[in-house]
Structures are given as C-alpha cells and as structure tokens.
Amino acid sequence: QVHLVESGGGSVQAGGSLKLSCVASGKYYDSTYCMAWFRQAPGEKERERVANITGDATTNYADSVKDRFTISRDNTLNTLYLQMDNLKPEDTGMYYCAADRCVYLRSKSFGFSGGGWGQGTQVTVSS
C-alpha cells in the first residue's frame, strides 16, 4: 500500500484559487504510478475523477475543470499537486488523491490494487 496525505484545502470565494498537495510515501510507491485527484460533492456517493497524470506527466481533465485546474507532480518530492483557479461553488467537495498502476485508472480498483488513497481535504467555494 501507498500512504498519501493531502493538504491545501480551505474556504474561498468564487473566482478564487487554491493549490492542493499530496505527498506519497511507503515502500510500494512507484514514481511510474498514475496519480489522480478525485472529488466527492456534498450528498454524493460517487467520487468524480477531476484530473490524472501519468509518471511521464501526461495529463487528463474532466470537462468540468478543464482550463481552470492544473495537475502536476514532482517525482523528486513524491508530491502531486492540483492548482485550482477560477473556482466555482460547484467545485465544493472533499478532494482525494489516489495512486496506482495506470492500467487500473478507469476501474473501481484504482487505488486498491497496490496503490492507495488519501484521507481527503475539504474545499468550500462560496458564491
């Protein structure tokens, strides 16, 4: 298992910015792993994948955050980032980072097949 710890959440007004960080550790962490940010909106059961990045920095974004969020990683620090700009109230939710082999990225096994999930950090955007 990979241990992941998120930070950087908070409360902002619409139009503001936040930068989330996620530090990975553990003997099973591999810098070639895909890493991703998910969010769970209030009252929702499912987590939405908002952005993901491969070990060689290929990125992908949900349409709802494209051109506003930027995912990046620093493999020397084992850290994943999510720069969130022009935040909207609908971005409110608990944000989780996850890591695992890329073959699992689009499956429910992502983060449970030798990777891991963080505990989450809350983002609240007010109008």
Side-chain angles (χ1 to χ4, degrees), residues 32-108:
T32 67
Y33 274 9
C34 274
M35 298 189 79
W37 288 99
F38 291 76
R39 71 183 176 195
Q40 188 168 9
E44 294 289 330
K45 287 186 178 180
E46 297 293 324
R47 295 177 183 179
E48 172 194 20
R49 176 163 45 89
V50 297
N52 57 266
I53 186 167
T54 66
D56 62 359
T58 299
T59 60
N60 187 61
Y61 297 92
D63 288 342
S64 58
V65 307
K66 207 169 285 185
D67 299 325
R68 299 188 299 120
F69 289 12
T70 303
I71 189 171
S72 62
R73 66 193 291 172
D74 185 336
N75 287 336
T76 65
L77 298 176
N78 290 350
T79 302
L80 176 73
Y81 303 100
L82 186 68
Q83 175 68 44
M84 305 186 293
D85 298 317
N86 191 21
L87 282 160
K88 303 177 179 181
E90 52 263 42
D91 295 318
T92 293
M94 186 70 79
Y95 283 70
Y96 300 88
C97 68
D100 214 326
R101 285 177 283 175
C102 296
V103 66
Y104 296 112
L105 180 62
R106 288 172 175 75
S107 81
K108 292 189 182 300

